[in-house]
């Protein structure tokens, strides 16, 4: 038998069956071959000023190879700041496919060379959340990033097992508080067909989770629910924006908020 999600979350190294091993290598090889075709194409069209054309397609394609199958309800608001739940690295592949989204990420990711290069190709915005003096600069970065492709923030700050929401952290909206009313702020809710099995949480290392997902049998259904844009009193400050978005996501997924 393959590894259970609970044992994976404890950091236990997976022991794959022969079938799982073959699926992992087949999907990993397909991703490498896909990358060898798409990345040179991206570098070429980038020379002609079309740098946003390929990255969302690439991320969506990697998701398809990994078994991800997208479904959507509602529609992404043009130029929106999007706020929602976070469960897996697959969220990024799904949102790129469903909304051609860009992402806000913690600046710590910028220390990983290859990962940073991939993030940069999709115009990821790196935010240093714990440095108060940088808020003004971050506001300008976010302001410059908005108005084109949707920009995604995951206010839980990390991933969990999919059985509840982690409390949304209002600090992650500090940089966008002055922009409320200028741009649409839209909650979204991500629902996996097998949320617990898909989740990346606990002590499971990132690459171990990638291997487990690529070795998994069958498809991974992901529904992206684009919820109504926040309005009125919800936009008063970062705390009301955070609370309104959290309530909307919790209600849509029918999930409790941990420690709430």
């Amino acid at each position: 038998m393959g590894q259970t999600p609970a044992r994976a979350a404890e950091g236990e190294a997976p022991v794959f069956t022969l079938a799982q091993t073959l699926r992992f290598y087949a999907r990993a090889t397909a991703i490498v071959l896909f990358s060898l075709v798409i990345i040179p194409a991206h570098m070429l069209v980038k020379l002609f000023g079309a740098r946003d054309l390929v990255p969302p397609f690439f991320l969506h394609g990697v998701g398809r190879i990994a078994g991800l199958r997208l479904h959507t309800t509602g529609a992404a608001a043009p130029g929106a700041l999007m706020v929602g739940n976070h469960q897996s690295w697959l969220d990024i592949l799904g949102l790129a496919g469903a909304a051609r989204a860009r992402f806000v990420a913690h600046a710590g990711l910028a220390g990983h060379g290859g990962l940073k290069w991939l993030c940069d190709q999709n115009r990821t915005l790196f935010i240093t959340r714990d440095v108060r003096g940088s808020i003004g600069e971050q506001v300008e970065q976010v302001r410059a990033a908005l108005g084109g492709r949707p920009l995604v923030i995951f206010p839980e700050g990390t991933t969990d097992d999919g059985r509840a929401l982690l409390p949304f952290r209002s600090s992650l909206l500090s940089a966008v508080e002055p922009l409320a009313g200028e741009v649409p702020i839209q909650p979204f809710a991500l629902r996996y067909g097998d949320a617990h099995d898909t989740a990346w949480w606990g002590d499971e290392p990132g690459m171990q989770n990638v291997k487990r997902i690529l070795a998994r049998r069958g498809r991974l259904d992901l529904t992206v629910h684009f919820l109504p844009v926040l309005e009125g009193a919800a936009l008063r400050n970062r705390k009301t924006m955070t609370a309104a978005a959290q309530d909307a996501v919790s209600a849509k997924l029918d999930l409790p908020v941990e420690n709430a």
Side-chain angles (χ1 to χ4, degrees):
M1 282 187 64
Q3 185 187 44
T4 65
R7 292 167 72 180
E10 294 172 356
E12 180 178 310
V15 178
F16 292 150
T17 65
L18 176 60
Q20 288 175 316
T21 300
L22 292 174
R23 280 194 295 271
F24 167 73
Y25 280 110
R27 285 175 170 154
T29 300
I31 289 171
V32 170
L33 294 175
F34 182 62
S35 301
L36 290 175
V37 173
I38 294 299
I39 290 177
H42 166 60
M43 300 308 291
L44 179 62
V45 300
K46 186 176 175 181
L47 294 175
F48 295 92
R51 66 168 294 174
D52 286 339
L53 180 64
V54 175
F57 172 77
F58 171 73
L59 293 172
H60 176 61
V62 171
R64 291 282 299 186
I65 294 169
L68 198 63
R69 298 297 181 266
L70 279 177
H71 315 274
T72 62
T73 66
L81 175 72
M82 301 176 65
V83 183
N85 60 308
H86 192 21
Q87 189 174 319
S88 168
W89 53 274
L90 293 166
D91 302 348
I92 294 168
L93 309 183
L95 285 165
R100 293 185 56 81
R102 300 171 57 188
F103 300 89
V104 174
H106 191 277
L109 287 177
H112 302 276
L115 181 59
K116 181 183 185 301
W117 185 86
L118 288 173
C119 290
D120 285 343
Q121 302 317 299
N122 197 48
R123 296 182 184 262
T124 297
L125 183 62
F126 294 104
I127 293 293
T128 305
R129 297 192 292 260
D130 301 325
V131 182
R132 288 186 175 274
S134 67
I135 293 297
E137 180 182 347
Q138 291 171 18
V139 169
E140 292 308 312
Q141 288 178 323
V142 172
R143 191 190 302 272
L146 291 167
R149 292 162 55 195
L151 183 67
V152 169
I153 288 179
F154 296 113
E156 290 174 292
T158 188
T159 56
D160 201 24
D161 65 1
R163 294 177 173 174
L165 295 180
L166 295 175
F168 282 18
R169 298 163 55 185
S170 63
S171 61
L172 297 184
L173 290 177
S174 296
V176 299
E177 187 174 19
L179 306 180
E182 293 184 29
V183 297
I185 298 178
Q186 182 179 31
F188 63 86
L190 303 179
R191 187 194 302 273
Y192 286 88
D194 191 345
H196 187 56
D197 188 47
T198 306
W200 173 24
W201 60 291
D203 294 325
E204 184 179 22
M207 283 307 300
Q208 186 168 301
N209 179 268
V210 170
K211 292 177 181 178
R212 182 166 62 84
I213 294 298
L214 294 184
R216 188 181 186 275
R217 181 180 181 181
R219 56 193 280 170
L220 290 162
D221 287 297
L222 169 60
T223 301
V224 182
H225 299 283
F226 295 109
L227 305 177
V229 171
L230 299 185
E231 297 179 335
L235 298 176
R236 187 163 50 241
N237 55 52
R238 63 185 173 90
K239 292 185 181 296
T240 58
M241 287 188 284
T242 302
Q246 178 178 277
D247 289 347
V249 175
S250 175
K252 186 65 181 180
L253 299 178
D254 193 25
L255 289 178
V257 179
E258 264 189 27
N259 303 319

